[in-house]
Amino acid sequence: MPELQRLRLDHARELFSFERENRSYFAASIPDRGDAFFARFDDRLRALLAEQDDGMGHFHVLVDEDKAVVGRLNLVDVADGTAELGYRIARRAAGRGLATAAVRSACQLARTDYGLRELRAQTTLDNEASLAVLARTGFRPVGDMTLDGRPGRRFLRNLDA
């Protein structure tokens, strides 16, 4: 079973491969990161690590037995005991319950290691897999929205419960 690890500089090569190999797969359901993300990947990674060191975000990778990154999970916009959850799983690893397991682990880390009380998440209504993950992991819908021009929904998860 893949392991959720806090993002480190030595994940750079595998994380870049994960993002590049899954770019079109991800773009089918979430906004594309754009060419600049890949051109300046190392700079962006260093900025994320600095943000993590400052406690403004908590970034994780899901690493398989071969040390390949098969997913990532981020807690961003950390403030006042809350954060926004985002995650993505590689095409080759999808449908095996990895996102559900990773989100459960992240909720535990958010509460015990990062001192958070609540997580927010959002997804489009046509992203059935993400809707299912959020439902299975205790997130409750709190409102509709538009995300990248598509109908979406906001969710909350109280970590104290």
Side-chain angles (χ1 to χ4, degrees), residues 70-129:
V70 295
R72 67 184 299 179
L73 190 141
N74 300 321
L75 301 171
V76 299
D77 299 332
V78 175
D80 300 322
T82 70
E84 178 88 16
L85 168 73
Y87 54 91
R88 50 180 65 198
I89 300 295
R91 169 182 263 152
R92 70 179 177 87
R96 299 186 349 218
L98 298 182
T100 299
V103 169
R104 284 186 179 133
S105 293
C107 288
Q108 179 71 20
L109 285 171
R111 186 173 57 76
T112 60
D113 291 18
Y114 309 141
L116 300 177
R117 297 179 317 279
E118 185 175 77
L119 295 180
R120 301 175 310 278
Q122 59 187 21
T123 190
T124 55
L125 297 180
D126 61 353
N127 190 337
E128 294 178 21

Side-chain angles (χ1 to χ4, degrees), residues 1-4 62-65 70 93 96 98:
M1 183 65 137
E3 176 186 6
L4 191 65
L62 195 59
V63 178
D64 71 9
E65 306 78 31
V70 295
R96 299 186 349 218
L98 298 182

